[in-house]
């Protein structure tokens, strides 16, 4: 089975992929998108592949090559923006962190700008006719 997780960044896609890898006992391809090597994923029968649309926006033809597709987004654009700015500034992408009010005030304009980017990405993903889940409904409300 080929599983595609299609998402934007900072929405829990890495955690979802790692959970599915263990739950389904199949390989997880975590390599960043590379135009030259990407199609090698279709040489395997049991694989999970994450694609963040900031790196690559797959055509319907590519999406249809996967047996299962999960489209993951995060409702809270501000939280996505804060997570991105914090991770990008430290170059630490998968670690717990704390944000102070001072940090928010110092990064206010960048947070707003980045949140607008996430709003656009989220809406783009939600308009795809794919199985949809959200960060909030998986990790907070636990209904997805």
């Amino acid at each position: 089975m080929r599983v595609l997780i299609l998402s934007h960044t900072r929405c829990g896609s890495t955690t979802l992929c790692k959970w599915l890898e263990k739950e389904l006992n199949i390989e997880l391809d975590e390599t960043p998108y590379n135009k030259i090597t990407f199609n090698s994923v279709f040489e395997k029968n049991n694989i999970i592949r994450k694609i963040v649309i900031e790196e690559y926006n797959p055509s319907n033809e590519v999406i249809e090559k996967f047996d299962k597709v999960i489209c993951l987004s995060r409702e809270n654009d501000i939280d996505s923006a804060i997570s991105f700015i914090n991770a990008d500034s430290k170059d630490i992408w998968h670690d717990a962190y704390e944000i102070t009010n001072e940090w928010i005030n110092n990064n206010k304009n960048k947070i707003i700008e980045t949140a607008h980017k996430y709003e656009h990405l989220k809406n783009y993903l939600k308009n795809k006719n794919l199985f949809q889940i959200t960060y909030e409904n998986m990790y907070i409300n636990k209904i997805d």
Side-chain angles (χ1 to χ4, degrees), residues 3-127:
V3 179
L4 172 63
I5 306 300
L6 184 61
S7 68
H8 58 77
T9 56
R10 313 315 297 166
C11 68
S13 57
T14 298
T15 301
L16 174 60
C17 286
K18 289 182 177 190
W19 177 77
L20 286 172
E21 174 188 32
K22 288 180 182 177
E23 192 70 22
L24 300 174
N25 194 30
I26 61 176
E27 178 185 352
L28 170 59
D29 181 350
E30 293 187 85
T31 58
Y33 173 75
N34 179 307
K35 184 178 182 178
I36 297 168
T37 62
F38 176 74
N39 284 330
S40 67
V41 74
F42 301 116
E43 296 169 7
K44 300 180 180 184
N45 290 323
N46 288 307
I47 192 159
I48 300 167
R49 183 63 163 101
K50 177 178 94 167
I51 297 175
V52 291
I53 60 171
E54 292 96 327
E55 290 179 357
Y56 173 53
N57 186 1
S59 66
N60 287 339
E61 181 181 322
V62 170
I63 291 171
E64 289 170 1
K65 290 181 180 180
F66 289 89
D67 301 305
K68 303 287 182 187
V69 180
I70 299 172
C71 198
L72 174 64
S73 60
R74 189 171 186 173
E75 291 294 330
N76 192 319
D77 302 322
I78 297 291
D79 283 352
S80 291
I82 290 169
S83 177
F84 177 81
I85 295 163
N86 177 67
D88 191 48
S89 69
K90 296 177 181 175
D91 199 28
I92 300 172
W93 296 92
H94 300 101
D95 205 2
Y97 60 90
E98 289 186 28
I99 298 297
T100 64
N101 287 336
E102 179 183 13
W103 186 92
I104 290 174
N105 287 334
N106 291 340
N107 290 280
K108 186 176 181 179
N109 291 336
K110 194 170 187 176
I111 292 168
I112 292 168
E113 177 185 314
T114 306
H116 286 299
K117 175 186 90 168
Y118 279 114
E119 179 181 21
H120 172 75
L121 293 170
K122 172 186 70 183
N123 289 333
Y124 177 80
L125 286 169
K126 285 188 163 213
N127 283 324

